[in-house]
Amino acid sequence: MYDVIVVGGGHAGSEAAAAAARSGARTLLVTMSLEALGRMSCNPAIGGIGKGQIAREVDAMGGIMGRVTDETGLQFRMLNRSKGPAVWSPRAQCDRHHYALAIRRELEAIPNLFMRADMAVGLMVENGAVCGIETQLGQTIRAGAVVLTSGTFMNGIIHVGDRQYGGGRMGEGASTGLTGALHALGFESGRLKTGTPPRVDGRTIDYSKLEEQLGDTTPSPFSYMTDALPDRQRSCWITYTSPEVHDILRTGFDRSPMFEGRIQGRGPRYCPSIEDKIDRFADKDRHQIFLEPEGWDTEEVYINGFSTSLPEDVQMKALAATAGLETAHVLRPGYAIEYDYFPPYQVRYTLETKLVRGLFFAGQINGTTGYEEAAAQGLMAGLNASRYASGQEGIVLKRSEAYIGVLIDDLVAKGTEEPYRMFTSRAEHRMLLRQDNADQRLTGMAESWGLVSAARVARMRARQEARKRLTAWLEATNAQPGEINSWLESIGTAPIPRPDRLSRVALRPEVALESLLGVVGSVPDGILDVAGLDGVVGMVETDLKYAGYVERAQDQIDRFMQMESTPLPGTASYHTLTALSMEAREKLAKIQPENLGQASRISGVSPADISVLMVLLKSGQLHRPGTAS
């Protein structure tokens, strides 16, 4: 008997099991292969635009992804540096093999977390609540809550040209049985697809024809608990397709499972296959391709941007026509994978399903794509499964509190018919949800949920205090004209005619706070001693320069919270509300939003429909089925 069973050992399952166990639940992780825990099925990288913010939030709540990324990173870069800090996003290239080993080591270090190599094929449900699982090996294992994190394995089919076979990823079998079990319980499923590019032998690449992409000179870690990153980094490389490459790829379109209709599931809009790119963007004569190393101890190279399910002979000819890859040896071809998912209108904000109490979905089963999105859902589902099993209320992060809140709200309120990917543009409060302040936003809350260590809380508070002390010192300290004017002129900004507060000088667009501190001399002892310069100076600079934006964002949140605090009946008779548009009635009846804010974000529900709902709520005409209006 366990408190929580987690099914699946990918990024969602690993974080779910760790979070459930950290919060006190006796947890069992059931996965088809213990050797595949935390495996990077696609590119060996963590982070990116929007995704980096999620990874830092997972870390701020005690998750394992950030620490393992720092430990196994090959290259670290902060993306979007040319733009404002609201969209700066960390990204790291990782050692694929060492990453998976480190994930397993982290899980095995948690005392009340146990693992079993097996396949879940059925669910045990009594009186509308889950009470365990049935496995392929004939075991029935009971638990107070179950988290399903099946990834791409549920009835997975791999496509390479006109060949197809069952599998969850190359070299691993598909998971069968669970889809049927969920259908029997009343759940609706759909099909999605994703893809991966070829891998080649780096010894056969002509790097002299490629553009080198270096990591950051002073890289930033993912985890708030990391003091130092590895000293060395590996380069990535850039090449481009050409009209010749496109012509070669087109010769395989008549054997493409995507164009021939053998793939029914929809693929990710923002990560299209190479054949999809040249079909949809026929006006472009080239596309950028990134060559990314997969580890320190291997020459395997990932061809990012060349995801494909075309026949292998076409893939090889197209690669041979690409600069730098003329003699590249293909280690394994690209392929597409089609799998079952369960549209996320069937889960609540806690990620508990609406049909079966105590059953939680996390990751690609909810229609998302990406390691980071999966890890975030896994952490929240694991936490809430643990709380459900112990009789506590579930935890829901708001859109104004975290990108994780945006992710889950988008899934529950809007649903998805294609693999969902996070971007900074999806977060309306992104100035407040920066990658540098995730610990300030979330670690304190996570402490109250039992997710984080005392050491992490102490470090967060030390950074918080350093931030306050540095801000106060900048407000109280004057810069002298003779001290900084020559430097100001050298960076293209006007000198100061008289002594001025450092906090005012730091407001100038040309002035970088760290450089200003270097010109005026060291910061007095005691201000930055504990937390160090890393991250704190940047946060203070953003606080100063973007104070007006932050204030306006907070005003928007206050208005937003008024709608979020207006509850709607749990099972309202929306079909009878003729004042609403037909589309709004259908969507509201299907999704059954929990509050007016969620209703306002449902596609097809207009501002006019929201106004009608507000009137009906005020007049008492919005009611549950079978009750008087």
Side-chain angles (χ1 to χ4, degrees):
M1 179 68 187
Y2 294 88
D3 298 316
V4 175
I5 295 173
V6 176
V7 176
H11 301 276
S14 296
E15 294 289 356
R22 286 200 312 274
S23 59
R26 177 178 165 82
T27 304
L28 176 68
L29 173 61
V30 177
T31 185
M32 293 166 60
S33 171
L34 293 175
E35 287 69 40
L37 287 171
R39 180 166 290 172
M40 293 174 145
S41 305
C42 201
N43 66 321
I46 296 295
I49 308 301
K51 292 171 173 283
Q53 281 84 345
I54 290 180
R56 297 217 84 190
E57 290 177 352
V58 168
D59 178 75
M61 292 191 287
I64 56 184
M65 175 175 274
R67 296 195 308 277
V68 169
T69 298
D70 291 342
E71 178 185 341
T72 63
L74 301 173
Q75 185 194 88
F76 296 84
R77 297 178 64 224
M78 185 67 73
L79 307 183
N80 273 348
R81 277 286 194 186
S82 62
K83 301 179 181 179
V87 295
W88 292 357
S89 303
R91 185 182 188 274
Q93 198 71 23
C94 295
D95 185 306
R96 183 191 300 276
H97 177 65
H98 290 159
Y99 186 96
L101 290 177
I103 289 289
R104 180 164 182 171
R105 187 169 61 249
E106 287 276 346
L107 295 177
E108 290 178 338
I110 303 174
N112 56 331
L113 172 57
F114 304 89
M115 291 183 277
R116 175 182 173 86
D118 205 342
M119 182 194 299
V121 295
L123 295 169
M124 300 161 59
V125 178
E126 296 176 358
N127 300 318
V130 73
C131 57
I133 65 169
E134 299 169 352
T135 78
Q136 186 182 46
L137 296 178
Q139 296 296 309
T140 55
I141 309 173
R142 299 185 70 85
V146 173
V147 184
L148 295 185
T149 69
S150 51
T152 60
F153 281 78
M154 291 177 73
N155 292 329
I157 297 177
I158 290 174
H159 297 264
V160 182
D162 51 12
R163 299 178 64 85
Q164 63 182 51
Y165 56 92
R169 54 182 163 231
M170 188 69 80
E172 297 179 47
S175 167
T176 58
L178 273 181
T179 295
L182 291 168
H183 284 168
L185 292 168
F187 288 94
E188 296 179 11
S189 68
R191 295 287 277 176
L192 293 177
K193 83 102 178 164
T194 188
T196 192
R199 274 74 159 180
V200 303
D201 187 335
R203 298 173 301 173
T204 62
I205 295 173
D206 185 353
Y207 289 100
S208 68
K209 296 182 179 179
L210 308 179
E211 300 173 18
E212 187 174 13
Q213 185 184 62
L214 300 170
D216 289 345
T217 305
T218 307
S220 300
F222 266 86
S223 176
Y224 291 97
M225 300 302 287
T226 299
D227 290 316
L229 290 170
D231 293 332
R232 55 179 183 161
Q233 296 191 60
R234 288 197 69 171
S235 293
C236 294
W237 303 83
I238 299 173
T239 187
Y240 298 88
T241 61
S242 66
E244 179 188 1
V245 171
H246 297 180
D247 289 341
I248 293 171
L249 291 168
R250 289 189 185 98
T251 67
F253 280 10
D254 62 341
R255 292 186 287 156
S256 164
M258 184 175 70
F259 294 131
E260 290 244 296
R262 289 192 297 276
I263 294 179
Q264 300 298 316
R266 296 185 64 174
R269 178 191 305 261
Y270 302 104
C271 188
S273 64
I274 188 65
E275 55 264 39
D276 202 18
K277 288 179 187 176
I278 64 174
D279 182 57
R280 286 167 49 191
F281 308 108
D283 57 315
K284 294 188 177 295
D285 59 8
R286 71 175 192 169
H287 294 283
Q288 195 171 50
I289 304 294
F290 294 89
L291 277 63
E292 302 175 341
E294 298 226 340
W296 290 112
D297 306 321
T298 179
E299 290 296 335
E300 189 167 351
V301 174
Y302 179 93
I303 312 298
N304 195 344
F306 209 94
S307 175
T308 182
S309 59
L310 287 170
E312 186 172 357
D313 61 310
V314 177
Q315 296 184 34
M316 294 178 71
K317 289 176 184 176
L319 288 172
T322 304
L325 302 178
E326 293 88 349
T327 60
H329 172 72
V330 177
L331 294 170
R332 44 183 163 162
Y335 62 90
I337 182 165
E338 196 175 12
Y339 56 94
D340 290 339
Y341 87 110
F342 288 78
Y345 65 81
Q346 299 170 104
V347 298
R348 306 181 190 281
Y349 279 123
T350 59
L351 298 181
E352 182 186 15
T353 64
K354 295 176 180 177
L355 289 177
V356 178
R357 298 190 308 278
L359 177 63
F360 295 78
F361 290 170
Q364 286 174 289
I365 192 174
N366 284 332
T368 60
T369 181
Y371 308 145
E372 304 81 5
E373 291 89 342
Q377 293 171 74
L379 186 147
M380 296 307 298
L383 168 65
N384 284 324
S386 171
R387 294 177 69 87
Y388 173 89
S390 61
Q392 301 178 74
E393 288 188 8
I395 300 297
V396 175
L397 290 173
K398 302 182 182 68
R399 294 181 72 91
S400 57
E401 291 175 331
Y403 270 85
I404 297 175
V406 174
L407 165 67
I408 295 175
D409 182 67
D410 279 353
L411 293 174
V412 175
K414 301 175 183 178
T416 185
E417 296 180 350
E418 62 184 46
Y420 176 100
R421 173 180 174 168
M422 178 54 70
F423 291 101
T424 52
S425 58
R426 295 191 188 272
E428 60 271 40
H429 308 302
R430 55 187 173 272
M431 178 52 72
L432 300 178
L433 308 182
R434 305 190 308 275
Q435 56 83 29
D436 64 336
N437 67 3
D439 63 332
Q440 312 289 296
R441 292 184 278 116
L442 298 172
T443 299
M445 287 192 282
E447 179 188 18
S448 67
W449 307 328
L451 284 179
V452 297
S453 65
R456 181 179 289 273
V457 174
R459 179 169 291 220
M460 178 274 293
R461 288 176 178 158
R463 278 167 47 85
Q464 200 171 46
E465 285 303 311
R467 182 181 178 185
K468 292 177 182 177
R469 289 194 298 265
L470 179 58
T471 301
W473 181 75
L474 292 170
E475 291 283 0
T477 305
N478 282 337
Q480 302 299 322
E483 180 178 49
I484 68 167
N485 275 351
S486 60
W487 174 73
L488 291 175
E489 291 173 339
S490 72
I491 61 173
T493 186
I496 57 174
R498 63 187 66 84
D500 200 357
R501 282 176 296 160
L502 288 172
S503 58
R504 283 176 51 86
V505 177
L507 294 177
R508 299 186 181 194
E510 303 85 357
V511 173
L513 180 55
E514 192 162 352
S515 299
L516 175 61
L517 293 176
V519 172
V520 300
S522 60
V523 178
D525 292 343
I527 290 182
L528 292 171
D529 290 353
V530 178
L533 283 170
D534 185 46
V536 175
V537 172
M539 276 197 297
V540 170
E541 182 171 20
T542 301
D543 291 342
L544 292 171
K545 288 184 174 177
Y546 295 89
Y549 294 100
V550 170
E551 186 175 342
R552 285 197 293 274
Q554 192 60 56
D555 289 342
Q556 291 174 353
I557 289 173
D558 293 340
R559 292 194 297 272
F560 168 80
M561 290 309 298
Q562 292 177 9
M563 293 187 72
E564 296 297 300
S565 61
T566 304
L568 292 171
T571 51
S573 301
Y574 291 106
H575 283 302
T576 66
L577 304 177
T578 56
L580 295 171
S581 69
M582 180 61 73
E583 184 178 6
R585 278 180 270 168
E586 291 176 356
K587 295 286 184 66
L588 291 167
K590 182 178 184 179
I591 295 174
Q592 290 291 330
E594 297 178 16
N595 55 61
L596 206 56
Q598 181 186 352
S600 71
R601 294 187 293 279
I602 297 174
S603 175
V605 178
S606 69
D609 292 319
I610 295 300
S611 297
V612 170
L613 287 177
M614 293 174 73
V615 171
L616 294 173
L617 279 170
K618 190 172 182 181
S619 64
Q621 296 180 66
L622 190 58
H623 59 91
R624 300 171 186 268
T627 63
S629 61

